[in-house]
Each structure stands twice: as structure tokens, then as C-alpha cells.
Amino acid sequence: MATSSLARRWPAIVWFIVVLAVAFHLMLFWQNARLDTNVLALLPENEQAPVIGVATRKLSEQAERQVIVLVGAADREAARRAALAVRNTLDGETKILKSIPIEARMEQTTAFYRPWRDRLLTPEQRDWLARATPEELRSLALMRLYQPVGGIALTDVGSDPMGLWEAWWSARAADTRVRPRDGLLWLEAEGKHWVLLNYERQGAVFSMTGDTPLNGALARARDAARQAEAQSRMLAAGVPLHAEAAAARSNYEMNVIGFGSLAAVLVLVWLTFRSLRPIVLVGLSLVVGCAVALSVTVLIFGQVHLLTLVFGASLVGVAEDYGFHYFSARQGRPASERYAILRHLLPGLLLALGTSAIAYLALGLAPFPGLRQMAVFSAVGLLGAFLTVLCWFPAFDRGELHATRFSTRFSDSLVHWPNWKPNLAGLLVAAVLSLFVIAGLLKLQSRDDLRQLQSSPASLITEQIEVSRLLNLPSPAQFFLVEGDSPEQLLMREETLTANLARLKMKGVGYRAVSDWLPSAARQRADAESTARADAVALAAMAELTGEILTRPAFAAEPLRAEVWLNSPAAGVARGQWLGDIQGRYYSVVLLSGLAPSILADVSTAGHGLPGVRWVDRTAEFSDLLARYRAGMEGLLALGFVGVFVALSWRFKRSAWRALLPTLLGTLLVLAIFGWSGVPLQLFMVLALVLLLGMGVDYGIFLLEHPGDGTAWLAVALAGVSTLLSFGLLALSSTPALHVFGLTMLLGEVLIWVLTPFFRIPEES
């Protein structure tokens, strides 16, 4: 007897030790939690060129803490007053924002380049020097000698007799509309004077408490601007703004979905069992399941995406099914039978766990890192909840559990639910449903759009677009990827590409390349020789006119190398575009601005035929990926139905169709409803249908495992309603992908739950 008691207790003890380890791991994790908010992290790597993913991440990292603020007004003085009010306010937010001193960086950059300035030429300067006659060189030098000095002179006449370096800096400044003046950065656009303020986000980019300190600081700055100048306008943009908004929204959604589902589940348990013990134990299984899921996800992936937690909050509506089945069968029976009850339920519970886990893991077959996280989180969470029921419920459930009026009435309602039969009425209903489904499927259209993953508020997106337009910022979604077997070859290939892109400037296209700031060694040598010859002619003309011998200063003997440039202040403007050595090859990115859909084809052809140059259109690639994986998951869904039917046939023989048909009909009806409603078919809808296959078939499994058993019908009803609540709340998500996922699950759950009893084994048989 003692041996039997110990054998029953050891699973509970082992699981308790595992849960303690999970709790300790999560305590360490939350002390330095790093949650991912980057939407691009959810997307797959490019299969043909993983380096494109590296380029995208590096461009994203370059801007992940940058906050851009523009303050504008109709006249310059008003804009200045408003900008100073904003700057004074934001400079006081030292725990949130740090001002970036652009002027100091420019002085450091100028000083760094000075030893190599003899080899820094614009394409126009290079062409002119190649064809200029000695007389033209002398004329330019003498004109510069007698020209009044205006603005800030970078060099004297003797050091740079033709002003080549100042012209090079002017060309660099032409890449941006911003100009320094009176200690501020200015631009004029769209009838307003604007002041640019640059900041860097300090501390954590987001808070899981739902707080929005950055948004609060910017709101106070807006108020200060209006007080200083009523007609002023302030715009803000940057990755931290979107990250903070995503964190705040995710916190809200996790609370609504997770705690809303949990509250609904506990109310259902109370109505059904009228006992605190089921509430405590079912709640415990949910908490342990989610904790184990988070711990394993962190161990596998190293971090967790916010959308994984939002999606995982819906796990509450699924993981409690095992507890429902246990307590539904346990109700009204003596406590001494609890182990026997669990053994009786175990085959059905294992089959249900298997189908649900397989359905979740099927989500991970698509090469989306975010989906893989969600799949692992959910499958492990189900396993954790199942093991909690298996190991702890019989050990802790020792009291009596009487049947309640609510549970008895619902259990008895199964006998009143009609069975579908292949008679005239049944065939007529089948014909009507078939016509509805066929017509709806014919109306169903597909749409694969990257915006499915975008959840930022519309106001943030609008301001981001406006700031990008005013500053003419380059697009992070379309660019050229340049490859070489050495830094020198890479820079030479960039120079060939930018020569082609220069021809598109008349169409408003601009480009930013590393080679603008770091020419290849070959070009530096050629330009240094060209400027030396020209300077010799110019200095001789000046000496002849003034009688004063002018000596050209000494410059660096060796060309400026990539490793030196990368470790200098000068690299700050384009360091993110230099990808460097990746598996023995060198890569860089040429960014483009002023892109419009009408000229994308012309831009992409600029790299045609150039070795080591690849045009990258991430938006188009992602849409193509979404379409291809949607088609692949549609095939997987079809195979899934076949595989599940085989498994059910092994268990239930000729009655297997009764467990599967409700899920098949529910799936077709969901698609037909979307077709009639004009909702397009997309990847996340198909993923929801894959999950529905694994979850919906559970209801049929339990009704076949326990034919005519009202307690099984009670457990199925409780499971269906709780799952409906959790995924119904997921449909409230602001992320379009999760919204359509939740909406699909909501409709599917309702239909499958309603249809399942129609196909149970008739009581008379």
C-alpha cells in the first residue's frame, strides 16, 4: 500500500521540482528581460541571400534609438522660438532622451579628413580637371585669390587654390536639405521654416508596464512649442516611438486577452462546479503552462517577441481543456476514484494533446521566426498544462465534488441534440450548405501584404512618412546590395553603380553610398595625382602675379583605408551601410531616396550587368514570401486533414469521419463566409485554419471516446466556450495579422462546436 502511494506521489514531486526550476529561470529572465518589438524580426530570412537579412538588421540597428524632431512655423523667428522651447523641454528629459551634438561631430569629421583632402573629388570636379586647360586652371585660381571670403573657409587659398575641398563638402551637404545656422539645423519645405533636433533614446526602449514615457515627453514638448508660438507644428519620428507604442499596446492586449480569458474561464468553472478547488487547480494549470512555455521559449530563442506574448495569452482558452475534462468526469464521483478517472480519460487526453500540439507546431513550418516562437510557446504551454493535470490534479483533488444543477442540465442536453442522418431533410441541408460554400469559395480572393504585421498607430505612421518626405530620408526597404572579395573591390563596384545612379538625379532620385565618404584606393590615387597637377599650375600662376612663393602642403602618403575610416568620427554618417566581412566576402548597402513606384523599374536597372551588385526590394520580396508560404500552408492544411483522418481511423475505425467532418465543414464555412464578406484570404488566416484542425477535432474525439456520456459533452462545451472567448479576444488585437487570425479562430470555433454533436454516434446504436 505504501509502495502504491509512493508510486502515485513521485510524478507530483518531480513536476514540482521542474516548476521550481522554471520559476527560478523566469525570475532571472525578468530581471534583464529583452523583448523584441521589431516587426521585421517576425519575417523570414531571404533564402537565396541571407546577407540581405543582415543588411536589414544593421540598417534597423542604426536607427533603433534615434528620435528625430522637426519644429516648423510660417516664419523663421516663430520657428526658432518654438524650436528653442521644444529643445529646452526635451533637454530636461535626461532619463529619456539625450541630445546629439551634430556640430561637434562635423568639426571632428572635418579634422579627420584633412590629411586626405587632396583626393576627395566630386564626379563633376573629376571630369572638369580631366579636361581643363592650364589657362582655365590659372583663371579659377586667380578668381579665388581675389574673391571675398564668405561663410566659413575650410582652407586658405595657398592650401586649396581652386577651392576643391569646399566644393566637395558642398556636394556632401547637397545630400540633405538641412543647413546649419545660428547654432540650429534648418530646412525650408512646403512653405514653412523647420528646425531639426536629433535625440537618442536613453534607457529601456519600452516598458512592460504599459507606460509611455517617451510619448509623454514629446507631448510636453508639443505643449511648450504651442505656448511659445501658437501656430507652430512639431513632428516626431523614430523607431523608439513605434517600439514604445507596440509595447504599450501589447501590454493592454495581453491584459485584455490573457486576464479576460482567465476571468471568463474561472467564472465558467465556478458556474459548473461551484467549488474553489477546480478554480484553483485549473488556474494553476494555466499559470504553470504559460510559465513553462515562456521559459522554454527563452531557452531556445534567447529572447521573446512581444507578439509571441500577445498570441500566447490566447493559450489560456486552450490549456484549460484538460482540467475541464478531468473535473467534468470527476464530478459526482467519490475522491477515491480520481486516479481511475484519470486513467480512463488518458487515451483521449493524449490524442487531443497530440493533435493540438501538432497543429501549433505546424505553424513553425513556415520560416517565420515569430511564428516559430509562437508555435513553440503554445505547444510547450499545452504540454505544461497537461502535465500539471496529470501529476498534480489527483494528488491535490481529495475532497468531494458534487454535481451542480448547471452541469447536470447541460450534460443531459446532449440527448436532445439532433443527429444528422442521410435522409431527405439531412440531404437537403447538405445541399444548401454546399451551394453556400461553393459560391463563397468562388468569391474568395487572396491578398498578401506586409502591412499585415504593422500595428503602429496611424498618427505615428503619418508623422513618420511626413518627416521622411521633408528630410528626403532614404528608403530602408529598397536598396542596392554590393559585394566584393575585398574592401577595395567593393568600393570600386560601388563607384561604378553610383555613376549609373547619378543619371537618375534629374528624376529626383538621390543615393547615399559609403564610397561617397570613402573612395576606393585606386580612385584616391588618381584624384590625388589630378589635384597635384592642377594645384601646381594654380600655385605657379598665383606666385607669378603676387611675387610670393606658395607651397602646397603635404598630404598623407597612403590612401585612406576602410579600417581607419570605420574607427573615425567620419564613419558615423554611413557606418550602418558598411556590412563588412560576412563569410569571407565584403558587403555594403547603397541607399536611395526620392523613390516613387513609377521609377522603381528605372532605378533597379541601374545595377543590371554590374558584377557584385544586387537590387533589393524588401517590400516586394516579403509580399512574394507571404504568397508562397500561404500556398504552402494551404497544401499542409490539406495534408493535415488526410493525416488526422488516418490517425482517427486507427483509433475509431469506421466512425472516424464523425470526429473529422465537423472541423472540415467548419473550415469550408469560414472560407465561404470570408468570400461572401469580401475578406481576402491571407497567410495568417490559413495558419488559423491549421490550428483549428488540431483543436476542433478534439471535440469529436471526446464525444467518440465517451459515446453518450454527458460529462464528456459538458467538458467539450466548457472547452469550446473558453477557447471561443480567448481567440475572440485575440480578434481585438491592433495587429492586422493577429486580428484576422483571431477572427478566423472565432468563427471556426463557433461553427465546429455547434456542428460536432450533430455527428456523434447515435444513442440507439
Side-chain angles (χ1 to χ4, degrees):
M1 187 69 180
T3 303
S4 176
S5 177
L6 181 61
R8 288 178 173 179
R9 288 179 182 176
W10 75 260
I13 296 172
V14 171
W15 187 237
F16 179 74
I17 295 172
V18 171
V19 172
L20 278 181
V22 166
F24 179 73
H25 175 239
L26 290 182
M27 182 183 67
L28 296 178
F29 169 72
W30 285 116
Q31 288 177 353
N32 298 289
R34 184 170 182 263
L35 303 182
D36 196 354
T37 62
N38 183 11
V39 170
L40 295 179
L42 298 171
L43 300 173
E45 299 283 0
N46 185 287
E47 301 100 320
Q48 288 76 36
V51 71
I52 294 178
V54 176
T56 304
R57 285 196 301 273
K58 194 156 187 177
L59 292 174
S60 176
E61 289 168 1
Q62 186 182 21
E64 67 180 2
R65 288 190 170 272
Q66 185 179 12
V67 177
I68 298 173
V69 177
L70 282 176
V71 186
D75 65 85
R76 185 180 293 273
E77 186 54 36
R80 178 183 177 82
R81 286 196 303 271
L84 291 177
V86 169
R87 188 172 72 176
N88 290 337
T89 301
L90 294 181
D91 284 353
E93 304 282 356
T94 54
K95 293 183 178 180
I96 302 171
L97 291 170
K98 176 185 176 183
S99 178
I100 301 176
I102 302 297
E103 297 84 355
R105 181 183 295 176
M106 291 178 63
E107 291 176 2
Q108 293 170 355
T109 300
T110 304
F112 168 78
Y113 274 123
R114 198 171 292 278
W116 293 280
R117 62 181 173 80
D118 65 323
R119 63 211 64 182
L120 300 176
L121 296 176
T122 68
E124 293 77 14
Q125 289 174 325
R126 190 174 299 111
D127 292 342
W128 185 80
L129 288 176
R131 65 175 186 271
T133 64
E135 184 58 35
E136 289 173 327
L137 295 173
R138 283 192 292 269
S139 297
L140 178 60
L142 295 177
M143 181 178 66
R144 176 168 164 75
L145 179 64
Y146 291 108
Q147 179 178 313
V149 177
I152 300 174
L154 295 177
T155 58
D156 56 48
V157 175
S159 299
D160 187 13
M162 290 177 292
L164 296 176
W165 200 34
E166 291 183 10
W168 183 82
W169 275 110
S170 296
R172 300 287 74 75
D175 291 339
T176 176
R177 299 173 179 175
V178 179
R179 297 291 182 271
R181 178 175 174 177
D182 301 330
L184 295 172
L185 298 175
W186 293 85
L187 72 146
E188 293 184 32
E190 301 181 359
K192 280 187 172 64
H193 297 268
W194 298 89
V195 175
L196 171 64
L197 303 173
N198 287 279
Y199 289 91
E200 186 176 276
R201 181 69 164 93
Q202 298 295 98
V205 176
F206 59 85
S207 170
M208 285 307 297
T209 62
D211 296 335
T212 55
L214 179 55
N215 182 67
L218 293 173
R220 290 188 288 275
R222 281 191 172 89
D223 291 340
R226 293 192 192 98
Q227 290 176 7
E229 178 57 48
Q231 301 303 315
S232 65
R233 186 161 181 239
M234 179 182 134
L235 301 173
V239 173
L241 291 170
H242 296 270
E244 185 180 84
R249 183 64 187 178
S250 296
N251 177 272
Y252 168 77
E253 290 178 359
M254 281 189 290
N255 289 333
V256 170
I257 296 169
F259 292 112
S261 300
L262 181 59
V265 167
L266 296 181
V267 169
L268 279 173
V269 174
W270 173 255
L271 288 174
T272 306
F273 304 111
R274 295 300 177 94
S275 173
L276 287 177
R277 191 166 65 255
I279 292 177
V280 172
L281 289 178
V282 170
L284 181 64
S285 71
L286 299 179
V287 171
V288 171
C290 290
V292 173
L294 179 58
S295 180
V296 173
T297 303
V298 171
L299 288 173
I300 293 176
F301 297 98
Q303 63 180 9
V304 181
H305 199 282
L306 274 176
L307 288 184
T308 299
L309 296 182
V310 174
F311 181 85
S314 66
L315 187 65
V316 171
V318 185
E320 85 293 337
D321 290 6
Y322 314 116
F324 282 161
H325 284 287
Y326 171 82
F327 281 111
S328 295
R330 165 80 169 79
Q331 195 174 35
R333 299 175 66 176
S336 59
E337 297 182 8
R338 60 191 188 279
Y339 285 100
I341 290 171
L342 190 57
R343 284 195 299 272
H344 175 68
L345 294 173
L346 193 56
L349 292 175
L350 285 172
L351 188 57
L353 172 66
T355 55
S356 297
I358 289 171
Y360 273 121
L361 292 175
L363 301 182
L365 293 180
F368 290 70
L371 285 178
R372 287 173 177 166
Q373 273 198 21
M374 295 176 191
V376 169
F377 187 99
S378 301
V380 173
L382 284 183
L383 180 60
F386 174 81
L387 290 175
T388 303
V389 171
L390 189 66
C391 299
W392 284 358
F393 275 33
F396 298 145
D397 176 33
R398 298 185 178 186
E400 297 301 320
L401 190 64
H402 301 289
T404 64
R405 181 179 300 179
F406 176 84
S407 62
T408 301
R409 285 186 175 181
F410 201 93
S411 298
D412 294 342
S413 68
L414 181 63
V415 298
H416 304 294
W417 205 286
N419 275 108
W420 181 85
K421 297 177 182 178
N423 53 24
L424 180 60
L427 293 175
L428 182 60
V429 171
V432 171
L433 285 178
S434 298
L435 290 175
F436 177 83
V437 167
I438 293 171
L441 293 178
L442 291 175
K443 290 177 175 289
L444 189 63
Q445 303 291 324
S446 63
R447 185 177 68 197
D448 303 287
D449 194 340
L450 182 60
R451 285 173 293 184
Q452 297 172 26
L453 298 174
Q454 181 57 261
S455 61
S456 292
S459 58
L460 273 185
I461 297 174
T462 301
E463 285 199 23
Q464 185 81 39
I465 293 173
E466 192 167 359
V467 168
S468 297
R469 186 181 69 251
L470 289 171
L471 295 176
N472 197 29
L473 296 178
S475 168
Q478 289 103 4
F479 53 84
F480 282 99
L481 182 69
V482 185
E483 174 187 359
D485 57 17
S486 66
E488 176 68 4
Q489 186 185 66
L490 174 64
L491 292 170
M492 293 177 68
R493 288 177 171 179
E494 258 200 21
E495 290 163 351
T496 304
L497 171 63
T498 55
N500 291 347
L501 290 173
R503 304 187 187 105
L504 296 173
K505 283 191 174 181
M506 295 298 293
K507 296 184 178 181
V509 177
Y511 64 85
R512 298 185 185 181
V514 174
S515 54
D516 289 339
W517 300 89
L518 174 66
S520 65
R523 172 156 289 178
Q524 289 183 55
R525 293 188 185 96
D527 287 351
E529 292 175 3
S530 181
T531 56
R533 288 193 301 269
D535 283 355
V537 174
L539 291 174
M542 290 180 177
E544 182 180 348
L545 182 65
T546 63
E548 180 182 353
I549 298 177
L550 300 175
T551 304
R552 188 172 187 256
F555 296 105
E558 294 295 325
L560 175 59
R561 301 291 182 181
E563 58 271 17
V564 176
W565 179 80
L566 285 169
N567 292 316
S568 74
V573 70
R575 183 181 284 109
Q577 294 174 240
W578 181 268
L579 306 184
D581 186 351
I582 301 177
Q583 297 180 350
R585 305 285 292 173
Y586 289 84
Y587 296 88
S588 69
V589 170
V590 175
L591 295 176
L592 303 160
S593 59
L595 296 180
S598 58
I599 60 174
L600 278 180
D602 292 338
V603 173
S604 63
T605 57
H608 283 183
L610 299 182
V613 175
R614 178 186 293 126
W615 167 248
V616 178
D617 187 341
R618 292 296 270 169
T619 303
E621 286 181 6
F622 286 143
S623 295
D624 179 63
L625 279 172
L626 290 172
R628 287 193 287 114
Y629 290 118
R630 173 181 53 77
M633 295 306 288
E634 288 170 358
L636 178 65
L637 178 62
L639 289 175
F641 273 102
V642 174
V644 169
F645 183 71
V646 171
L648 293 174
S649 298
W650 173 79
R651 176 68 177 168
F652 300 116
K653 305 299 188 287
R654 293 184 178 182
S655 297
W657 66 273
R658 295 180 180 275
L660 185 62
L661 187 58
T663 302
L664 178 60
L665 287 177
T667 299
L668 294 175
L669 284 170
V670 167
L671 293 174
I673 290 171
F674 284 142
W676 282 103
S677 305
V679 178
L681 180 66
Q682 49 191 274
L683 173 63
F684 291 89
M685 190 184 297
V686 179
L687 293 173
L689 294 176
V690 172
L691 189 55
L692 269 177
L693 170 60
M695 294 169 54
V697 77
D698 289 354
Y699 306 148
I701 288 174
F702 283 106
L703 291 185
L704 289 183
E705 278 284 344
H706 312 285
D709 186 349
T711 61
W713 168 234
L714 173 63
V716 165
L718 291 173
V721 172
S722 60
T723 303
L724 180 67
L725 285 170
S726 64
F727 282 106
L729 290 172
L730 190 62
L732 299 176
S733 175
S734 61
T735 302
L738 291 183
H739 168 74
V740 75
F741 189 99
L743 187 60
T744 305
M745 293 295 298
L746 175 66
L747 291 173
E749 276 291 323
V750 171
L751 291 168
I752 294 171
W753 184 80
V754 169
L755 288 169
T756 297
F758 282 101
F759 299 97
R760 71 190 187 281
I761 297 175
E763 283 74 9
E764 63 269 21
S765 62

